[in-house]
Amino acid sequence: MNQGLMNSLTEAERLLVAESERDVLKGLDEDELLELHQRVRRVRTKYVKNYRRAASASVASAGGRGMSYPRNQRDRDKAELFESVLAKVSREVAVAARRASMELRSERLDAARSAKATAPATRAADPAKPAAGTRARAKKTTGGLKKDASTQAMGARRQAKRDSR
């Protein structure tokens, strides 16, 4: 990083950049990382907004975009710095989210395995299942509950119309 840019940062901004160091990020949990991500994004957006406003305002006085480009270097550099900090924090948030997802998945699988292991091996006749001699009829569906209900209602209306004749 440019030492001049680091000297132009406020104390709060320096602390924010320091919080994004790899060693510090590794010690944070997912919620803390998300909070840091939000703070960095807010600062980045501030400097991007300042840069764009100042650049558009100086175009007319400078005589063109190319002539006004060097006038707004500080905000542009700060926006770039916080963009890179945001990228670092975003990667760590993704890693933490993936780790939490894998932990939750393994917990669910372990719970399912333990529930399966404790289930009784033999069951009595299940009242929900039909008797062995009768076969369960296949349901005729289109795949959508609303569509099936609509089709059934349409048939009922058609039958009612016939019955009223």
Side-chain angles (χ1 to χ4, degrees):
M1 265 179 262
N2 184 355
Q3 190 59 38
L5 176 62
M6 289 303 290
N7 290 337
S8 72
L9 296 176
T10 64
E11 188 62 31
E13 292 168 348
R14 274 194 214 112
L15 289 174
L16 197 58
V17 171
E19 283 184 67
S20 71
E21 294 301 321
R22 183 173 297 226
D23 298 334
V24 177
L25 289 177
K26 294 292 182 191
L28 300 178
D29 68 350
E30 189 177 4
D31 292 332
E32 291 170 332
L33 282 169
L34 288 171
E35 190 268 329
L36 177 64
H37 186 269
Q38 185 177 16
R39 286 189 295 143
V40 172
R41 189 176 55 221
R42 224 179 290 132
V43 173
R44 187 265 333 242
T45 303
K46 169 188 167 182
Y47 283 109
V48 167
K49 186 169 45 172
N50 285 350
Y51 165 68
R52 287 182 177 162
R53 284 184 179 169
S56 66
S58 67
V59 167
S61 64
R65 288 186 309 179
M67 297 297 288
S68 71
Y69 183 80
R71 293 184 178 184
N72 205 4
Q73 186 69 38
R74 182 170 164 258
D75 283 335
R76 185 171 49 250
D77 288 344
K78 280 189 171 186
E80 187 177 331
L81 169 71
F82 286 110
E83 184 68 40
S84 65
V85 169
L86 185 64
K88 274 198 270 187
V89 175
S90 293
R91 279 191 295 272
E92 286 301 318
V93 167
V95 167
R98 195 174 309 113
R99 187 180 319 117
S101 171
M102 294 305 290
E103 288 172 2
L104 286 173
R105 181 175 184 230
S106 66
E107 286 175 11
R108 281 195 323 267
L109 290 174
D110 290 342
R113 285 186 191 116
S114 66
K116 189 175 182 181
T118 59
T122 59
R123 292 187 181 178
D126 194 0
K129 291 185 180 179
T134 60
R135 200 174 104 205
R137 291 175 52 191
K139 277 191 168 182
K140 184 177 178 183
T141 66
T142 59
L145 294 176
K146 287 177 74 175
K147 190 171 182 181
D148 292 342
S150 174
T151 303
Q152 187 176 5
M154 191 169 42
R157 282 192 300 270
R158 196 178 305 127
Q159 187 64 44
K161 188 175 179 181
R162 283 184 182 164
D163 291 345
S164 69
R165 289 183 195 162

